[in-house]
Amino acid sequence: MIRLTQYEFVKIITRKSVYLALAGLIVLLALYACFGHPGPLNGTSYYKPYEGAITEEKVQTARDQMQTEGYSDEKNQTRYGVFYEISMFSPESTKNFTRYDDSGNAMERTVTVSEIHYNKPWGYLLEYIDQFGVLFMMIIILLGLAPVFAEEYARGTAALLRSSKRGRSQVVSAKLMASMLYVVLCVILFTGINLLIYWLRFGNLAGADTPLQSVGMYFQGFYYDFSPYHLSALQYYGVQLVTHLAGSLVFACVVLCISALCSTSFVAMVINVAIVGVPYLAFDVLNFNPGWAKWIEEFSFSTMMRVTRLFQTPASYSVFGLELSYLNLYMIFMAVVTISVVFGMYRTFRTREVFS
């Protein structure tokens, strides 16, 4: 079984399209990390005099500095950010500021942060999975796994495999395990390179023990200030990575199931792009958000790969009289989908006789 899995894994990683995509995506990641965020990145010296609990004196200083210095010069962005955060996370602001969910209901702040911390490296690290991570993994999974079963149909070897001693079960298991290993290695590769790049650019990964709610993504966008989870930046980074990996594995199972249903790699690719790529493009890239499609966005495959929405705000759903958090309900939904598509993949490959 191990040798069979190794053989299937080698078949996946030796595809020219996979090599070219990996090389191109790594270059794109490096270029964006180096040139997408110009200006000084290490701002520890700006934050050091103000770190800690936010006092009335710090708030007054922040207001005065924001009025006099402004935000026009790129060099002032980090310095301006210090005073912006003091103003935003002051006890007065956190008490009076209200955010509304998609239904127009006021959200409750369950974790309050009234401190200022330097944790900019972690904002950039979290940003990667929120955008490029999900896009990169979609591309690399589609290219690597869409042909896994469809290729056997196109070459006429599927019937041969099923007639062999291990063809109806162990071959499918080997393909599944090889595909999962491929996904794990790709997630580790992309995340590792991103981590290395920003560690080199900042010269540090300061702020790992600061609250998640105080981590700013996209420079000054505090996506997690209403998050109900008591996590540090480092802890959430680990949670984000594991959730992203789990979402990538679920997507891989869906791609394999579609591949088992299709007679050519091209058809499998088109169907998978439609299932996962279209919702991602519509909701995450084009910000398409009509009310009737809300449930598609909330329970799409890309949501789990992107991670942010699952931990961003407190939300719950009533299911058969039980109150379930959005995260728990989503995980149950994904577990049901995964079991269904894996079962469908085994059944399809074992029983399909006619290919068109």
Side-chain angles (χ1 to χ4, degrees), residues 65-204:
Q65 292 291 340
M66 288 174 70
Q67 288 179 356
T68 58
E69 292 196 9
Y71 185 64
S72 58
D73 193 329
E74 205 170 75
K75 293 180 181 179
N76 291 334
Q77 288 183 5
T78 303
R79 183 172 175 79
Y80 179 92
V82 176
F83 304 120
Y84 174 80
E85 289 183 36
I86 291 174
S87 177
M88 179 174 179
F89 289 106
S90 66
E92 181 184 358
S93 295
T94 55
K95 180 181 179 181
N96 296 327
F97 177 72
T98 303
R99 180 179 293 177
Y100 299 90
D101 59 23
D102 295 339
S103 302
N105 301 315
M107 293 191 301
E108 181 182 356
R109 193 189 294 268
T110 56
V111 179
T112 301
V113 174
S114 293
E115 302 172 356
I116 183 171
H117 305 279
Y118 176 72
N119 48 33
K120 286 291 177 284
W122 296 96
Y124 286 97
L125 291 172
L126 299 184
E127 177 189 329
Y128 158 70
I129 288 180
D130 184 66
Q131 288 296 331
F132 286 106
V134 57
L135 182 62
F136 286 2
M137 287 309 300
M138 280 184 181
I139 293 172
I140 210 68
I141 289 172
L142 284 170
L143 290 175
L145 304 187
V148 167
F149 289 102
E151 192 176 57
E152 305 291 359
Y153 301 150
R155 292 178 177 178
T157 55
L160 253 167
L161 287 173
R162 285 205 308 272
S163 65
S164 65
K165 181 180 179 181
R166 302 177 179 179
R168 289 186 176 271
S169 57
Q170 291 194 30
V171 167
V172 181
S173 298
K175 288 180 180 292
L176 177 62
M177 287 189 289
S179 299
M180 298 302 102
L181 178 60
Y182 167 75
V183 171
V184 170
L185 291 179
C186 287
V187 168
I188 292 173
L189 176 64
F190 285 133
T191 307
I193 291 174
N194 186 64
L195 184 64
L196 176 63
I197 289 172
Y198 279 112
W199 178 67
L200 293 174
R201 288 210 69 194
F202 280 95
N204 62 64

Side-chain angles (χ1 to χ4, degrees), residues 26-41:
I26 289 172
V27 170
L28 180 61
L29 175 59
L31 290 175
Y32 176 78
C34 293
F35 300 107
H37 301 294
L41 289 179

Side-chain angles (χ1 to χ4, degrees), residues 300-317:
S300 66
F301 295 110
S302 63
T303 296
M304 189 171 180
M305 295 174 70
R306 186 177 178 181
V307 185
T308 304
R309 188 182 182 93
L310 298 174
F311 297 91
Q312 196 170 11
T313 56
S316 62
Y317 295 83

Side-chain angles (χ1 to χ4, degrees), residues 257 337-350:
C257 185
V337 169
T338 304
I339 293 171
S340 301
V341 295
V342 170
F343 176 78
M345 176 183 64
Y346 273 90
R347 183 173 178 81
T348 299
F349 190 74
R350 287 174 179 174

